[in-house]
């Protein structure tokens, strides 16, 4: 029998306050943004951490459970697919002596919500009382199991703190907000099966609840498929413990059986019991933290920002599902409808590749599984190969809307779906980075090579030779989305060239190492030597905008002739620059929305001859308005690499504030997962100066003056290593925890790292 207090320990957050984010009180104006920050997710289920315990109807509808990959298209003109809202399984209504509880002075402040990042759980605490003086302390915990993606758990403890009376609680899965076509097929006690109208995908949910009062199980009154209610006589000191296990499954195809999947998952969770479920979930989080933790000594705010970022990053991916990727707001909010952008490949994948290769592989397999959509998009526009959707949902078809509300709330045309084509090279970049870091031959042979070849083929048809002897890519949008229909965007063209060259490398590799695979793949793709030769010629002649004299890349043809606006005059503005300046003037100016040439410098520093990296940064950084949450992380990374650690730390803090302080007033739509990935990028690729090479890993650290040390772990070709950089001591320690000896380059000097001994090096650079 469960004793009344056995749940106590689960409501106790991690002892180290740096692992928790805590907020007291309740403010309905801030409820949605708090719910986003306190969202829990396991890459399949995302649950916004809104207040679940109510005394009646909800005034602020903020809860949301999103299921990865459950897309449907609303019944509207020009509708685009979006993630469907699913039943909100967390809700609880409570009555004390037949009355809704009232707030007494101090009750509001008694509410606490704690995100325990170490355990991947949200804990809440709240005191409620009624007019006739019955008082209860309610503590709750909920989580989405990191090890069993179908399973979520809510535990609630009600302790009578005052007075005798009747407690009534009702737990209904709320169906509010299910307005995008989730239609019931079967509804039974504790089980529901629905389908979504447009896509035909199905969703199943199974639930099991039980309540013990002072250790004794109490039977519920059941009034509907997802409606449970209990009432009992309560007296001071009495403790009631409620557990709610919920499992969810998605069915994409006719032969899938999500109902059985949900029921099987529930049965497995029941066998474990809530404490087993909690233990397995916490063990999974502990293992993720072991692989991914980044520790900073000397800067608690930076440490918290990193933990918050890593918490959301670890919760956003699911290594078991190759049909989904991570949306721009992960599973924490509704902005961008759950669509996937280049954010995943450029801002997130480096983290997964180097700390969680299984998750990285699944994310890349999503691109492989949507390759046909990318081929169809290219063909539809008259090009060969694969042009990935700028905004992608489940099929790979373009889902970018053609109109949107601009920052000034006016309707504007959106051309990104047609013109923002660098996405194809971004996907190729991530494929190559994964291959470099893992040497996963099966992936490269069976999936990665085809992505590289088809994207290269796209670029080779897209870049057209012209009379000047160069190949040009006309009519695109680069990462700087303020400028549309531009020619020869440096980011796009240099990434395209790089994509073609890596595809040629992979063609040669397949031919040499797996000739049969090359034979079958190249014949299926109809790819012969003549075409490879044409690719070579495009790569040799593509216009890049690099002026060999100055070392400056021109962001696109004609950029340097545009109006040069001194952005220092607009410091302190609270709206984006295109709102201040107006769209037309912005487009006719050198004002950049987000890192563009600077992003190229972050991704492909070797494309910048000699000291031209610094020159380009110095030119473009002052012209950037940071109109996207993606922008500052690239600037921070590059500033750190260039040794300007003060500037880099400013960028780091500004990116950290986007979600933690809601500095862009945009967190209600979900966390900015690319910004959170950018925080990791700035720490590891920026301050630690990590770089990947064909046969070694290298670091070249430059830590901010306030950071005493920076420690982190990476996975490299079946090895796992831990690195600690001590700024004050000028030392670097590297430990190979698993795997064969490897070459490790520190500040340009090569070392061999083996398990036999920890590498301890005094660094020459004074910058550390
Ligand atoms: O992918 C980004 C884009 O670069 C800028 N606007 C928001 C998108 C989603 O985060």
């Amino acid at each position: 029998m469960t004793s009344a207090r056995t749940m106590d320990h689960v409501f106790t957050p991690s002892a180290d306050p740096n692992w928790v984010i805590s907020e007291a009180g309740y403010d309905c104006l801030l409820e949605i943004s708090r719910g986003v920050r306190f969202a829990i997710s396991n890459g399949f289920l995302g649950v916004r951490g809104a207040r679940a315990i109510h005394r009646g109807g909800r005034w602020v509808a903020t809860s949301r459970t999103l299921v990865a990959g459950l897309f449907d298209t609303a019944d509207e003109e020009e509708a685009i697919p979006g993630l469907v809202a699913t039943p909100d399984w967390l809700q609880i209504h409570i009555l004390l002596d037949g009355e809704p509880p009232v707030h007494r002075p101090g009750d509001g402040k008694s509410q606490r919500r704690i995100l325990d990042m170490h355990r991947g759980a949200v804990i809440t605490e709240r005191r409620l009382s009624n007019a006739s003086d019955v008082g209860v302390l309610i503590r709750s915990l909920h989580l989405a199991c990191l090890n069993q993606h179908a399973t979520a758990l809510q535990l609630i403890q009600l302790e009578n703190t005052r007075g005798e009376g009747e407690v009534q609680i009702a737990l209904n899965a709320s169906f509010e907000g299910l307005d995008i076509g989730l239609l019931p097929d079967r509804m039974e006690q504790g089980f529901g099966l629905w389908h979504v109208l447009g896509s035909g995908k199905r969703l199943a949910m199974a639930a099991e609840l039980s309540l013990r009062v002072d250790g004794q199980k109490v039977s519920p009154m059941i009034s509907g498929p997802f409606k449970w209610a209990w009432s009992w006589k309560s007296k001071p000191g009495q403790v009631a413990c409620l557990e709610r296990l919920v499992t969810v499954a998605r069915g994409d195809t006719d032969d899938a059986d999500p109902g059985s999947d949900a029921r099987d998952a529930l049965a497995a969770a029941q066998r474990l019991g809530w404490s087993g479920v909690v233990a397995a979930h916490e063990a999974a989080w502990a293992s993720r933290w072991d692989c991914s933790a980044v520790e900073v000594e000397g800067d608690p705010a930076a440490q918290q920002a990193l933990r918050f970022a890593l918490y959301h990053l670890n919760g956003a991916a699911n290594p078991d599902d190759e049909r989904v990727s991570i949306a721009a707001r992960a599973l924490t909010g509704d902005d961008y409808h759950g669509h996937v952008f280049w954010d995943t490949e450029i801002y997130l994948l480096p983290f997964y590749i180097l700390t969680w290769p299984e998750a990285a592989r699944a994310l890349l397999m999503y691109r492989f599984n949507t390759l046909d959509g990318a081929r169809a998009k290219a063909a539809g526009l008259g090009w060969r190969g694969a042009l990935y959707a700028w905004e992608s949902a489940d099929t790979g078809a373009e889902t970018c809307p053609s109109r949107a509300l601009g920052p000034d709330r006016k309707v504007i045309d959106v051309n990104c779906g047609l013109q923002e084509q660098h996405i194809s090279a971004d996907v190729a970049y991530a494929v190559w980075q994964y291959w470099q870091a893992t040497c996963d031959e099966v992936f490269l042979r069976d999936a990665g090579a085809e992505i590289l070849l088809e994207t290269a083929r796209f670029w080779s048809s897209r870049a057209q030779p012209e009379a000047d002897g160069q190949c040009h890519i006309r009519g695109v949008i680069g990462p700087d989305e303020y400028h549309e229909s531009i020619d020869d965007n440096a980011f796009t063209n240099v990434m395209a060239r790089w994509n073609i060259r890596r595809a040629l490398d992979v063609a040669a590799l397949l031919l040499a190492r797996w000739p049969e695979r090359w034979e079958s793949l190249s014949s299926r793709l109809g790819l012969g030597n003549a075409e490879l030769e044409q690719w070579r010629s495009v790569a040799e002649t593509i216009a890049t905008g690099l002026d060999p004299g100055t070392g400056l890349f021109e962001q696109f043809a004609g950029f340097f002739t545009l109006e040069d606006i001194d952005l220092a005059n607009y410091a302190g503005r609270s709206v984006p620059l295109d709102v201040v300046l107006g769209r037309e003037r912005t487009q006719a100016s050198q004002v950049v929305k987000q890192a563009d040439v600077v992003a190229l410098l972050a991704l492909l520093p070797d494309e910048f001859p000699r000291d031209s990296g610094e020159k380009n940064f110095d030119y473009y950084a002052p012209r950037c308005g940071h109109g996207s949450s993606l922008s500052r992380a690239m600037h921070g990374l590059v500033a750190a690499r260039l040794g300007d650690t003060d500037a880099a730390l400013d960028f780091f803090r500004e990116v950290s504030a986007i979600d933690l302080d809601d500095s862009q007033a945009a967190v209600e739509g979900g966390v900015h997962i690319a910004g959170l990935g950018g925080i990791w990028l700035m720490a590891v690729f920026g301050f630690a100066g990590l770089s990947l090479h064909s046969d070694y890993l290298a670091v070249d650290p430059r830590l901010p003056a306030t950071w005493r040390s920076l420690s982190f772990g990476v996975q490299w070709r079946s090895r796992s290593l831990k690195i600690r950089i001590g700024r004050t001591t000028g030392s670097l320690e590297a430990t190979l925890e698993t795997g064969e000896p490897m070459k490790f380059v520190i500040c340009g000097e090569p070392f061999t790292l083996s398990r036999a001994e920890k590498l301890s090096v005094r660094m020459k650079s004074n910058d550390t």
Side-chain angles (χ1 to χ4, degrees), residues 132-135 160-165 234-237:
S132 38
D133 217 23
V134 180
N160 181 315
T161 52
R162 203 174 53 229
E164 292 193 7
S234 177
K235 53 182 188 311

Side-chain angles (χ1 to χ4, degrees), residues 133-185:
D133 217 23
V134 180
V136 287
L137 168 65
I138 307 178
R139 298 198 283 170
S140 79
L141 167 138
H142 64 266
L143 53 85
C145 289
L146 199 64
N147 57 313
Q148 286 295 337
H149 296 100
T151 306
L153 172 74
Q154 182 187 42
L155 297 172
I156 294 171
Q157 184 178 283
L158 284 99
E159 184 178 346
N160 181 315
T161 52
R162 203 174 53 229
E164 292 193 7
E166 179 90 3
V167 178
Q168 285 168 268
I169 56 173
L171 288 87
N172 305 337
S174 159
F175 295 85
E176 282 170 40
L178 300 186
D179 53 358
I180 350 179
L182 194 60
L183 300 176
D185 291 328

Side-chain angles (χ1 to χ4, degrees), residues 328-329 336 341-343 390 420 479 481 593-594 628-630:
R329 299 289 181 265
Y336 294 114
F341 294 71
W342 71 314
D343 307 30
W390 174 244
E420 198 153 355
E481 294 165 339
K593 176 179 176 184
Q594 64 176 324
S628 155
S629 60
L630 278 62

Side-chain angles (χ1 to χ4, degrees), residues 316-332:
N318 176 3
D320 297 337
D321 193 348
E322 297 182 346
R323 295 276 162 191
V324 301
S325 184
I326 299 174
R329 299 289 181 265
L331 290 172
T332 68

Side-chain angles (χ1 to χ4, degrees), residues 597-611:
V597 172
V598 171
L600 183 63
L601 178 55
L603 301 184
L604 297 177
D606 294 344
E607 301 285 344
F608 289 70
R610 299 176 314 278
D611 63 345

Side-chain angles (χ1 to χ4, degrees), residues 146-397:
L146 199 64
N147 57 313
Q148 286 295 337
H149 296 100
T151 306
L153 172 74
Q154 182 187 42
L155 297 172
I156 294 171
Q157 184 178 283
L158 284 99
E159 184 178 346
N160 181 315
T161 52
R162 203 174 53 229
E164 292 193 7
E166 179 90 3
V167 178
Q168 285 168 268
I169 56 173
L171 288 87
N172 305 337
S174 159
F175 295 85
E176 282 170 40
L178 300 186
D179 53 358
I180 350 179
L182 194 60
L183 300 176
D185 291 328
R186 244 165 75 196
M187 297 296 281
E188 296 163 12
Q189 178 49 32
F191 178 80
L193 182 66
W194 298 263
H195 70 274
V196 285
L197 200 51
S199 69
K201 289 188 180 200
R202 282 170 300 151
L203 175 82
M205 182 180 277
E208 123 96 9
L209 284 85
S210 71
L211 175 84
R212 287 171 203 272
V213 177
D214 278 341
Q216 299 300 319
K217 201 161 178 173
V218 181
S219 301
M221 292 163 289
I222 293 169
S223 57
F226 282 95
K227 292 183 191 294
W228 290 262
W230 284 266
S231 82
W232 69 95
K233 286 268 174 245
S234 177
K235 53 182 188 311
Q238 184 191 62
V239 176
C241 297
L242 184 119
E243 64 186 81
R244 167 152 54 183
L245 273 172
V246 171
T247 56
V248 178
R250 188 188 81 227
D252 293 347
T253 52
D254 286 347
D255 55 350
D257 189 354
S260 298
D261 294 345
R263 285 196 152 120
D264 290 352
L266 186 66
Q270 283 169 318
R271 280 194 295 278
L272 280 178
W274 69 262
S275 55
V277 168
V278 171
H281 166 78
E282 290 182 358
W285 267 102
S287 143
R288 284 306 312 135
W289 283 114
D290 185 45
C291 294
S292 64
V294 180
E295 301 289 325
V296 173
E297 285 181 308
D299 188 340
Q303 179 65 77
Q304 190 192 44
L306 276 157
R307 291 215 171 119
F308 182 75
L310 297 169
Y311 163 75
H312 279 289
L313 289 167
N314 280 317
N318 176 3
D320 297 337
D321 193 348
E322 297 182 346
R323 295 276 162 191
V324 301
S325 184
I326 299 174
R329 299 289 181 265
L331 290 172
T332 68
D334 299 323
D335 275 7
Y336 294 114
H337 315 282
H339 295 173
V340 181
F341 294 71
W342 71 314
D343 307 30
T344 306
E345 281 71 25
I346 298 302
Y347 288 79
L348 307 181
L349 263 155
F351 166 78
Y352 297 114
I353 288 170
L354 288 163
T355 73
W356 198 3
E358 300 81 6
R361 188 185 212 276
L363 291 167
L364 292 170
M365 286 305 292
Y366 161 82
R367 291 300 191 181
F368 181 67
N369 289 325
T370 50
L371 193 49
D372 280 343
R375 286 187 183 109
K377 181 176 172 186
L381 294 170
W383 294 302
R384 288 180 294 138
L387 170 57
Y388 278 99
W390 174 244
E391 294 189 27
S392 186
D394 47 353
T395 64

